Amino acid sequence: MKIYDYQGFPNPARVRIALAEKGLTNKVQFITIDVPNGEHRTPAFLEKNPSGAVPVLELDDGTTISECTAITEYIDHAVGEPTLTGRSAKERAVIHMMQRRAEAGLLDAVGSYFHHATPGLGPKIETYQCAEWGDHQKKRAIAGMKYLDGVLAKQPYLAGENFSMADITAFAGLAFADFAKVDIPADFKHLKAWRARVAERPSVKG
Ligand SMILES: N[C@@H](CCC(=O)N[C@@H](CS)C(=O)NCC(=O)O)C(=O)O
């Protein structure tokens, strides 16, 4: 297995945590795609992922898989029992629902703020920006944090009793928020406590 990514970026971090949770980190060859210099927009990379984004998983038979959720599904089923994406129909559905809420309402909202309302990755990469929309996405990200805080007031993890792909997405979303200087409001104490707990996982600590 090969993973094309850029270490330290939020979406690649999601897959790296999933790999570590499954004990697969050492089975993967990581190949750096120089995103800050636009390598993800070259014809060679667009053939692997037409969306022009990292991470991408490449299997030994040449199959390329993009989107962190799809990659995590593969990783989770590659060895042992699935632990990140659920077993029963209900678990799987709830995890995917909460994952998407964390992704759209937090991670992607922060990303849109970063890419549109700040210098982002610089003029070479940020070829179209709409600051007003970016600023609106910052408000959306704070609303997303508030929603997640409310969920975590009632249960230890976003999809219930167990750590899952949904938690990985939200954790990466908060890391991106730090990087983009979007502060977690002080009174979101459940979200903060959850974050501190997740940060202690060996897969996250590294
Ligand atoms: N929905 C995608 C998001 C991937 C993504 O946006 N990756 C960022 C790095 S964190 C990227 O490659 N951005 C390139 C760009 O903004 O041009 C996923 O789940 O993998």
Side-chain angles (χ1 to χ4, degrees):
M1 279 197 281
K2 289 180 186 146
I3 297 275
Y4 297 85
D5 76 356
Y6 191 84
Q7 194 167 9
F9 274 19
N11 285 289
R14 293 162 71 184
V15 163
R16 285 175 180 250
I17 293 171
L19 285 166
E21 286 283 338
K22 298 293 287 192
L24 285 173
T25 306
N26 294 335
K27 303 261 186 300
V28 172
Q29 182 190 355
F30 290 96
I31 297 163
T32 299
I33 297 298
D34 188 359
V35 175
N37 283 305
E39 192 184 352
H40 58 304
R41 295 187 184 161
T42 58
F45 188 76
L46 290 173
E47 226 168 89
K48 297 188 189 301
N49 181 9
S51 304
V54 290
V56 170
L57 165 67
E58 189 171 86
L59 304 181
D60 294 344
D61 69 0
T63 305
T64 48
I65 300 170
S66 64
E67 295 301 326
C68 290
T69 45
I71 298 171
T72 303
E73 284 282 355
Y74 182 86
I75 291 167
D76 203 22
H77 289 80
V79 291
E81 285 284 298
T83 54
L84 301 171
T85 56
R87 288 181 206 143
S88 69
K90 180 178 158 185
E91 271 172 12
R92 294 180 61 76
V94 170
I95 289 168
H96 270 278
M97 175 181 75
M98 294 308 296
Q99 188 293 133
R100 185 61 190 142
R101 289 180 183 173
E103 188 174 55
L106 176 59
L107 177 59
D108 289 352
V110 170
S112 296
Y113 166 70
F114 174 72
H115 289 296
H116 285 273
T118 80
L121 295 176
K124 225 156 102 186
I125 301 299
E126 310 299 356
T127 49
Y128 170 76
Q129 291 194 298
C130 176
E132 193 185 346
W133 191 71
D135 281 328
H136 177 69
Q137 294 303 307
K138 182 180 182 177
K139 289 187 198 124
R140 198 164 160 238
I142 306 278
M145 289 179 191
K146 187 179 169 72
Y147 167 71
L148 298 178
D149 184 67
V151 171
L152 293 164
K154 296 185 219 118
Q155 58 196 42
Y157 294 104
L158 289 178
E161 293 302 312
N162 300 310
F163 180 80
S164 77
M165 172 166 73
D167 298 288
I168 296 177
T169 302
F171 190 83
L174 292 183
F176 202 177
D178 283 351
F179 184 72
K181 300 189 171 42
V182 178
D183 293 334
I184 309 177
D187 56 333
F188 294 178
K189 56 180 197 296
H190 305 292
L191 185 63
K192 289 186 171 193
W194 162 90
R195 185 190 203 186
R197 247 181 315 119
V198 173
E200 285 305 311
R201 294 180 79 82
S203 64
V204 175
K205 270 178 127 172

